[in-house]
Amino acid sequence: MGILSRMIPTEDASARKREIEEKLKQEQETLSFIRENLEKSDQLTKGMVSILSSFESRLMQLENSIIPVHKQTENLQRLQDNVDKTLSCMDHVISYYHVAKDTDRIIREGPTGRLDEYLACIAKIQKAVEYFQDNNPDSPELNTVKARFEKGKELLEAEFRNLLTRYSKPVPPILILDAISVDEELEVQEEVVLEHLPEAVLQDIICIAGWLVEYGRNQDFMNVYFQIRSNQLDRSIKGLKEHFRKSSASSGVPYSPAVQTKRKDTPTKKVPKRPVYIPGYDHDLRVKLMTDALTEKHGGAAGKDDVLDIEIDSYIHCISAFVKLAQSEYALLLEIIPEHHQKKTFDSLIQEALDNLMLEGDNIVSAARRAIMRHDYSAVLTIFPILRHLKMNKSEFDSTLQGTAASTKNKLPTLITSMETIGAKALEEFADSIKNDPDKEYNMPKDGTVHELTSNAILFLQQLLDFQETAGAMLASQVLGDTYNIPLDPRESSSSASSYTSEFNKRLLSTYICKVLGNLQLNLLSKSKVYEDAALSAIFLHNNYNYILKSLEKSELIQLVTVTQKRAESLYRELIEQQIISYKSSWFKVTEHLSEKNMPVFQPGTKLKDKERQIIKDKFKGFNDGLEELCKTQKGWAIPDKEQRDFIRRSQKTVVSEAYRAFLQRCANISFTKNPEKYHKYHPEHVEEMIEKLFDTSA
């Protein structure tokens, strides 16, 4: 065991020694391999360096031989380019000398039908002008091309004028009527587009205008434009006016077959204005004649008033047409005229048509003024529909004229002011004329019926109903509120300005109507004194007051009156009742003979004295004579209102009949004469029949 233990470490040491020797041998081999490779690498490096050195040498030799050749080639190329450029420039310059000749035919023949080709020629000429100006300003060629350029520009201007003149036509009246029509049943209106020029022509005109502005340095074409278009605008409106006159004369209504629509606030034939029909006044000859006259006016042959109505409707049409056509002209102008000249050109374009409209409006105002001087106040009503239409369309009018000169924009407000002034003057003078109408005996109705002044005043006031806002604004424009002292509700101050103004105008018109009615009442009272018979005076006032009340009740006048006079109806009823009472007093001289006053007191069977018999005879005679006289006189009087006529007859018949029956009963057993039939001429029924025939000229 001891020997074995000593042998194991010896073997291990030998093994490690062998292992180390093997590793050393391997490392030596690796080192030897690396050395061999390093030697090979050095050899390769030396070979590569040698090659590169040789290559560098060769490149240097090549460069030294190529660079001179390259420089020579480059110089030759530059020379070639210079030659080409020189030739090209020479060709270009030479072409300028031939421009006049090359473009002569096209310029002479003009741009018609070949605008693009023509503008291309003009461009060539323009470049030639610029060349000679820059390079040879003294050459004769410069004058030649300049003259050719001016000629070309003149022909373009002429083409611009010719195209506008040839294709600018007045808008047909039917299209204008369709454009200004409004269909109340359609929520969204279909706008009628007015095409003034064919699209191809319009594009040519736009092109020419653009060239004249940019290259022609010319603004004369703008004058040409506004003159031609202004003439067409004016002709369009005049054509519409003529169409309207012819249509109104033939059918009474301007008709547009293209669009059959209801037209609102734009021209339609006005409904004939007639007096309000009042039941019971059917046999009032004066009212009947007035109604017949108005009916004949609008339904029969055209007279002077019909011509005036047509002129007014035509004018209203033309105002609407002007706005629509001016808007259309402005839209066209925007495409043709440069921006900074558009407003001025538009201002000039619309002047002729606008001036003609304003002149026609001034003529209407002058006619109304002359009518007022003749005290023909109803004639001033002709300006009411015009004024209302102008004011309703003023905002659109102002919008259309936005940007024009102040003098242009002020024309419509000036006309409106003139119409309001003359209208207010007419209203005031009419009220004064009602108050100051003279009490002429020959002008008084013999039968005590409605006076012409009353029917005229009521008819005039009824005509104001369709123009309440307009008439109120007329009065307000003249600061007549101070004159009328209009009371306003303090709560109105919190409302909008428009509603406040509308309410104020309504109150102002109400007060004016009350003033006219008050003046009429005073004048009627004064006229009634012309009658010598107090009963006829009462009948006259009764008829007139009743006519006024019925007229107020049958129209919207009563609503206007009650705005400032709440008790208007009751006040007129009181006046009517007072006149009935006054009339009834005329029968006292008849019924007083039937009273017991001075009647003898007697016992049955007692013989009357002569004096007592005479008293009874006188009572019978006084009653008979008074009854006959009153019935004969009052049968010729008139109470047109059947209801009032029957009421007065019935009440008077009751009073007289009852008094007469009582009188006859008291005298039944009295022997006061040998011929009782001489005094007892009428039975009560006969008396009632006589009273029933009062106020009946046919009886």
Side-chain angles (χ1 to χ4, degrees), residues 28 34 53 131 264 283 287 358 431 443 449 465 481 521 615 684:
Q28 289 175 345
I34 291 173
S53 297
Y131 170 79
K264 179 181 179 184
H283 75 279
V287 175
M358 295 302 106
N443 197 34
T449 189
L465 288 175
Q521 182 180 340
I615 290 174

Side-chain angles (χ1 to χ4, degrees), residues 80 226 332 420:
Q80 180 65 39
F226 89 71
L332 177 65
E420 286 187 329

Side-chain angles (χ1 to χ4, degrees), residues 432-450:
D432 292 339
S433 73
I434 295 297
K435 181 179 180 180
N436 301 319
D437 187 69
D439 306 327
K440 297 178 181 178
E441 185 174 353
Y442 65 84
N443 197 34
M444 295 295 291
K446 304 300 182 183
D447 56 2
T449 189
V450 178

Side-chain angles (χ1 to χ4, degrees), residues 47-321:
M48 182 60 67
V49 169
S50 175
I51 293 172
L52 288 175
S53 297
S54 175
F55 184 71
E56 181 180 7
S57 175
R58 291 179 181 181
L59 281 177
M60 288 180 66
Q61 292 176 0
L62 179 62
E63 182 178 359
N64 291 333
S65 61
I66 287 299
I67 286 177
V69 175
H70 172 71
K71 287 181 178 180
Q72 291 177 0
T73 304
E74 186 177 34
N75 290 334
L76 290 174
Q77 184 66 43
R78 186 179 298 110
L79 290 174
Q80 180 65 39
D81 291 343
N82 289 338
V83 169
D84 291 342
K85 288 180 179 179
T86 301
L87 291 174
S88 176
C89 288
M90 290 296 295
D91 290 340
H92 183 68
V93 170
I94 291 172
S95 69
Y96 289 135
Y97 287 86
H98 295 288
V99 163
K101 180 181 179 181
D102 294 343
T103 60
D104 180 67
R105 182 182 60 82
I106 295 177
I107 296 299
R108 275 191 293 101
E109 292 177 357
T112 303
R114 50 177 178 183
L115 181 61
D116 292 339
E117 182 182 3
Y118 190 86
L119 290 177
C121 286
I122 291 289
K124 290 180 180 179
I125 297 171
Q126 186 177 10
K127 289 180 180 179
V129 171
E130 293 173 354
Y131 170 79
F132 288 118
Q133 284 178 335
D134 294 339
N135 298 280
N136 194 0
D138 297 326
S139 65
E141 286 80 5
L142 176 59
N143 295 330
T144 302
V145 292
K146 270 188 174 182
R148 188 58 48 84
F149 181 80
E150 291 301 321
K151 179 65 176 178
K153 186 170 72 171
E154 288 176 7
L155 291 177
L156 275 177
E157 293 170 357
E159 179 70 3
F160 183 86
R161 178 189 292 274
N162 291 337
L163 287 175
L164 270 180
T165 304
R166 188 182 313 131
Y167 293 99
S168 291
K169 305 295 181 183
V171 180
I174 290 176
L175 287 182
I176 298 176
L177 288 174
D178 293 338
I180 62 180
S181 66
V182 176
D183 193 338
E184 298 174 349
E185 297 178 356
L186 294 179
E187 294 182 1
V188 179
Q189 299 299 323
E190 182 178 351
E191 185 177 357
V192 177
V193 179
L194 301 177
E195 185 179 283
H196 297 286
L197 297 168
E199 183 61 28
V201 174
L202 175 60
Q203 293 305 317
D204 283 352
I205 290 175
I206 293 172
C207 186
I208 294 174
W211 188 92
L212 290 174
V213 171
E214 185 174 359
Y215 302 109
R217 305 294 189 268
N218 185 303
Q219 297 182 6
D220 292 341
F221 79 94
M222 301 180 199
N223 296 330
V224 171
Y225 178 83
F226 89 71
Q227 289 168 1
I228 294 175
R229 294 307 307 169
S230 175
N231 180 260
Q232 298 307 321
L233 173 61
D234 190 54
R235 288 178 60 192
S236 296
I237 294 176
K238 288 178 179 176
L240 172 65
K241 186 183 299 183
E242 186 63 26
H243 170 79
F244 185 78
R245 287 175 181 170
K246 290 180 180 178
S247 299
S248 298
S250 61
S251 63
V253 180
Y255 174 64
S256 169
V259 180
Q260 301 180 28
T261 61
K262 300 176 182 177
R263 296 189 173 102
K264 179 181 179 184
D265 297 328
T266 44
T268 53
K269 183 68 177 175
K270 296 196 300 293
V271 177
K273 192 67 179 179
R274 298 183 173 86
V276 174
Y277 174 73
I278 304 174
Y281 281 82
D282 52 314
H283 75 279
D284 181 348
L285 183 59
R286 188 173 296 104
V287 175
K288 183 176 186 299
L289 289 175
M290 186 181 299
T291 303
D292 291 345
L294 284 169
T295 302
E296 180 180 356
K297 166 185 170 183
H298 293 279
K304 181 178 179 181
D305 290 337
D306 290 301
V307 173
L308 182 60
D309 285 344
I310 293 171
E311 290 294 332
I312 291 168
D313 285 347
S314 172
Y315 187 69
I316 291 175
H317 271 84
C318 291
I319 290 293
S320 296

